Amino acid sequence: MKIKTLSLLVAMAASATAHANTTEPTEGVYLGVFGDYYDADWQNHRDMAGLDVEDSTGWGAEIGYRFDKFWSGRIEYADMDFDLGGISNGSLDAERYGIDGLYHFDGGPFYGLVGLKKMNLDAISDNTFANLGAGVRHHFTEHLFLNAEAAVYQGLEAGFTDVGGKISINYSFGSAGKSEAVAPAPAPVVAQAPQDSDKDGVVDSEDKCANTPMTDAVDASGCTLYETKEDKVSLLVRFPHDDATFSQQYVDDINAVAKFLKEHKNADVLIEGHASAVGDADYNQQLSERRAKNVAEKLVDMGIDSMRITTVGYGEERLKNPANTLKAHAENRRVEAHVSSKEKVKVKR
């Protein structure tokens, strides 16, 4: 419950930043009133066994002082109304008062806070809490502003850990300070800078390529720089013994080659068929050619022009593994392809 409550309070603070304005007084007194929510979970309270003290809503007032751009302090008073559970239902009045120190990050709308609070529960007990939190400030005008903040409270006398939040409306009586009026110095005479019409860093008098796109890097003459980019894809398809039909498991790999060829119109592919050294060499030569052609036909079915495909069979001439084992023979029954493409592309600025 405490986590959900704290998350809600933080979200409220974050939403207030959408129109946050950092123009504000950097010193002076401010006064405010606030709505307060406090999520407690005090079960079997020490002074009344079986009594549970739950959450509270209330209101309060505060007075603060902004010392400078980064630091401020305040004193607060809150009138609280706790819900009760356990052996008793209903509500219980309470008061909270204490002090906070605030640090305004970079002098902007976000701030962190640390403080010390005294909590008096009517007819039950009291407890001292240390609190740590964060908030955001939104100015409607130079002097009128809203604070939204959340804090964690840690009991020092009883070990309760609570969360709370508040939204306050404040009015500042301070000011950002005034500076003495100083007569403006006469504008210095500046020599006319050389023109660079296309903003590429090369002046017009030396620019041989006018109106170069802003996204392009340029050379000393103001012309677009190019680099050669290489892209490549490889294919390996294995086959059963004495068979030129490949398994469906390789369709995605073949499709990757087809996709590469469609994206790189200047690239062609050489499909190399191979066989193991088992059996007749002439027969293995023909088998390797059929394997290469079957893969090529699959590429054509996937939309690749047959003029961009070359097949070759090497039979058992290029064994991947020369050993006379079942594993080696399985490695040698294969089709391989390696496709690469080199393109000139612009160098980005």
Side-chain angles (χ1 to χ4, degrees):
M1 177 63 183
K2 288 183 171 64
I3 298 298
K4 291 182 178 179
T5 303
L6 185 58
S7 298
L8 176 61
L9 294 168
V10 171
M12 292 164 55
S15 65
T17 67
H19 304 288
N21 186 344
T22 58
T23 301
E24 56 184 273
T26 55
E27 61 181 47
V29 175
Y30 65 88
L31 299 175
V33 294
F34 59 83
D36 183 79
Y37 176 78
Y38 190 92
D39 186 8
D41 188 13
W42 306 352
Q43 297 181 357
N44 296 315
H45 194 274
R46 61 178 180 172
D47 293 332
M48 292 188 69
L51 178 65
D52 297 339
V53 179
E54 300 176 348
D55 56 351
S56 161
T57 55
W59 65 274
E62 61 188 18
I63 179 171
Y65 189 84
R66 185 75 176 258
F67 298 101
D68 55 30
K69 178 179 178 180
F70 300 102
W71 293 99
S72 63
R74 71 185 180 200
I75 301 172
E76 72 161 25
Y77 167 83
D79 183 83
M80 309 175 74
D81 185 18
F82 283 97
D83 292 333
L84 298 180
I87 64 172
S88 174
N89 293 320
S91 62
L92 179 69
D93 290 334
E95 295 180 330
R96 184 184 77 236
Y97 50 88
I99 60 173
D100 289 305
L102 283 69
Y103 179 77
H104 303 265
F105 299 104
D106 199 30
F110 295 99
Y111 60 87
L113 63 94
V114 61
L116 195 65
K117 304 293 165 59
K118 191 74 172 179
M119 192 103 57
N120 291 329
L121 277 74
D122 189 17
I124 295 184
S125 66
D126 56 29
N127 194 1
T128 302
F129 287 82
N131 62 281
L132 180 69
V136 65
R137 173 170 295 181
H138 170 71
H139 271 261
F140 299 105
T141 67
E142 180 181 350
H143 295 282
L144 183 65
F145 61 90
L146 175 145
N147 279 354
E149 62 189 53
V152 176
Y153 292 78
Q154 178 61 50
L156 302 182
E157 298 166 13
F160 303 127
T161 301
D162 305 328
V163 296
K166 66 181 187 180
I167 297 179
S168 62
I169 295 293
N170 302 266
Y171 187 85
S172 172
F173 297 91
S175 92
K178 298 180 179 179
S179 58
E180 297 182 3
V182 178
V189 177
V190 180
Q192 183 74 25
Q195 289 289 324
D196 179 12
S197 303
D198 55 5
K199 309 298 182 185
D200 60 0
V202 179
V203 297
D204 290 353
S205 60
E206 300 176 6
D207 198 335
K208 297 180 180 178
C209 300
N211 302 317
T212 307
M214 290 290 293
T215 55
D216 293 0
V218 298
D219 58 20
S221 298
C223 299
T224 298
L225 284 174
Y226 288 87
E227 63 181 354
T228 300
K229 180 181 178 182
E230 183 175 8
D231 202 0
K232 57 186 177 181
V233 66
S234 296
L235 176 67
L236 174 62
V237 180
R238 299 195 185 279
F239 292 82
H241 174 67
D242 194 20
D243 198 338
T245 303
F246 55 83
S247 170
Q248 287 296 310
Q249 74 182 78
Y250 296 107
V251 171
D252 288 344
D253 295 336
I254 298 172
N255 187 55
V257 175
K259 182 179 178 182
F260 184 92
L261 291 169
K262 291 175 183 178
E263 293 174 352
H264 301 82
K265 301 297 185 182
N266 64 329
D268 296 331
V269 59
L270 172 63
I271 300 176
E272 302 174 351
H274 301 269
S276 66
V278 178
D280 181 73
D282 291 338
Y283 178 81
N284 287 338
Q285 174 65 35
Q286 296 173 10
L287 180 60
S288 68
E289 292 173 1
R290 284 190 286 123
R291 287 171 175 170
K293 288 179 180 179
N294 283 348
V295 173
E297 289 174 0
K298 189 63 178 178
L299 283 174
V300 172
D301 292 342
M302 291 177 173
I304 304 304
D305 189 342
S306 61
M307 298 298 292
R308 300 175 63 190
I309 305 172
T310 302
T311 62
V312 61
Y314 289 108
E316 54 188 69
E317 294 178 6
R318 300 186 179 184
L319 298 179
K320 200 174 191 69
N321 188 337
N324 186 20
T325 64
L326 293 177
K327 180 180 178 182
H329 298 330
E331 292 180 17
N332 292 327
R333 297 190 299 264
R334 70 196 190 279
V335 158
E336 292 186 18
H338 304 282
V339 192
S340 63
S341 174
K342 293 183 179 181
E343 298 178 354
K344 288 183 63 177
V345 295
K346 292 182 177 181
V347 179
K348 298 301 180 182
R349 188 175 303 185

